[in-house]
Amino acid sequence: MIEWSETPRYQVQVNGVALEYACYGPDPSAAATIVMLHEGLGCVALWRDFPALVAKRTGLGVLVYSRQGYGQSDPVTLPRPLDFQTREALDVLPHLLDQAGIERCILFGHSDGATIAAIYAGSVEDRRVRGLILAAPHFFTEESGLAEIARAGEAFAQSDMQEKMAKYHRDPVGAFRGWCDVWLDPGFKDWNVAEVIDYIRVPILAIQGYGDQYGTMAQLDEISDRAYCPVDRLEMDCRHAPHQERPDQTLAAIAEYCTRLERIEQAEVIPA
């Protein structure tokens, strides 16, 4: 089980894998929980102070964790399968929610984490999930994004990027190769999980930067075009990481979205 603490004494075991995590704000018995899913090269530490700020601003609990292969979680066996995001959504995330004792939650994902959140909400009927915050999500590949990932691969091979990543990741090579090699695999070029959007039935806050080097507004257009649920779009003057580049604007949008969801949850139904 998860110890609700900013500095837990132990990692949580999911499917025999030890995962790093941290918790902020009220525990799941006292308030809804925002579960934060990191980007392709992220981890608990790389969210920096944003989880604490989200908890303080919204009054909700926040759970962050490092997926296998990232941060201080157990290393991953390479190569990763090309459907690793779907496997994370269906095979890991529900068990983590169980371990945390989640009663009501909002899934907040960034980049790959946003895709994982959307896959879960569109594939599993889990009434605990009341909303989605999707920052820089991916539903299909784009040539511009693949080119940027290729440039990242060159930088990893030719610069001190591995040493820098080692400050945050127990296995920086596994973290990087587990992300980069999947995206650049020829078989991944036709990857597309946009159909999950058709089945999402909770409100979505979708956030995208105009200058995102890994994806374009076409990703948000896919949500707007396919969704049967309420969708709020926030288009920002930033690149791939709105919570880092425009933290105040991002935090304000998240807080307003969560306030509206909580108001709906607490509204009394008056019989006709």
Side-chain angles (χ1 to χ4, degrees):
M1 297 297 291
I2 279 178
E3 176 187 10
W4 200 264
S5 168
E6 295 182 19
T7 55
R9 294 165 294 175
Y10 51 83
Q11 296 188 332
V12 63
Q13 294 282 332
V14 177
N15 300 332
V17 176
L19 301 178
E20 172 190 31
Y21 71 93
C23 307
Y24 302 84
D27 68 48
S29 68
T33 305
I34 299 173
V35 180
M36 298 177 65
L37 297 98
H38 62 75
E39 64 177 317
L41 295 179
C43 64
V44 168
L46 286 170
W47 282 110
R48 306 191 190 282
D49 64 346
F50 201 72
L53 293 174
V54 169
K56 182 177 180 180
R57 185 72 174 267
T58 64
L60 304 181
V62 173
L63 167 64
V64 297
Y65 77 103
S66 298
R67 297 191 295 275
Q68 184 180 7
Y70 299 99
Q72 303 309 308
S73 294
D74 280 351
V76 70
T77 299
L78 298 177
R80 282 187 183 273
L82 300 189
D83 63 345
F84 75 96
Q85 293 171 92
T86 296
R87 295 190 187 202
E88 183 73 25
L90 303 184
D91 298 341
V92 179
L93 185 55
H95 298 299
L96 183 78
L97 299 182
D98 292 343
Q99 290 269 35
I102 297 295
E103 298 179 15
R104 293 185 296 121
C105 71
I106 298 165
L107 301 181
F108 170 21
H110 173 223
S111 192
D112 284 7
T115 304
I116 291 165
I119 291 172
Y120 185 72
S123 304
V124 178
E125 187 177 349
D126 187 341
R127 297 185 183 278
R128 295 174 296 184
V129 178
R130 306 301 176 89
L132 293 178
I133 302 171
L134 307 179
H138 305 291
F139 297 101
F140 47 84
T141 61
E142 297 182 83
E143 288 295 339
S144 57
L146 295 177
E148 188 67 27
I149 293 170
R151 283 190 284 272
E154 294 173 1
F156 188 80
Q158 300 172 6
S159 71
D160 61 349
M161 188 174 175
Q162 179 177 336
E163 288 74 17
K164 290 180 177 178
M165 287 183 61
K167 298 176 182 178
Y168 303 100
H169 300 284
R170 173 177 164 187
D171 177 14
V173 174
F176 186 85
R177 297 260 67 98
W179 167 74
C180 181
D181 291 355
V182 168
W183 278 90
L184 297 183
D185 189 294
F188 196 71
K189 192 170 184 179
D190 294 328
W191 171 82
N192 189 314
V193 295
E195 68 176 2
V196 301
I197 301 167
D198 301 344
Y199 302 98
I200 296 172
R201 293 296 182 267
V202 296
I204 299 173
L205 170 60
I207 305 172
Q208 183 80 23
Y210 292 116
D212 191 332
Q213 64 271 40
Y214 293 111
T216 70
M217 288 296 169
Q219 305 291 338
L220 261 59
D221 291 341
E222 194 78 11
I223 298 174
S224 299
D225 292 344
R226 301 185 72 135
Y228 288 88
C229 56
V231 177
D232 290 337
R233 288 177 63 135
L234 176 58
E235 301 176 10
M236 303 174 67
D237 182 17
C238 66
R239 301 186 78 203
H240 188 60
H243 62 287
Q244 295 176 355
E245 299 166 54
R246 294 288 183 269
D248 293 342
Q249 186 179 358
T250 305
L251 187 59
I254 290 171
E256 195 276 334
Y257 170 83
C258 292
T259 297
R260 278 192 285 119
L261 282 187
E262 286 296 288
R263 188 181 301 125
I264 293 170
E265 291 282 338
Q266 296 169 10
E268 294 183 1
V269 178
I270 302 175

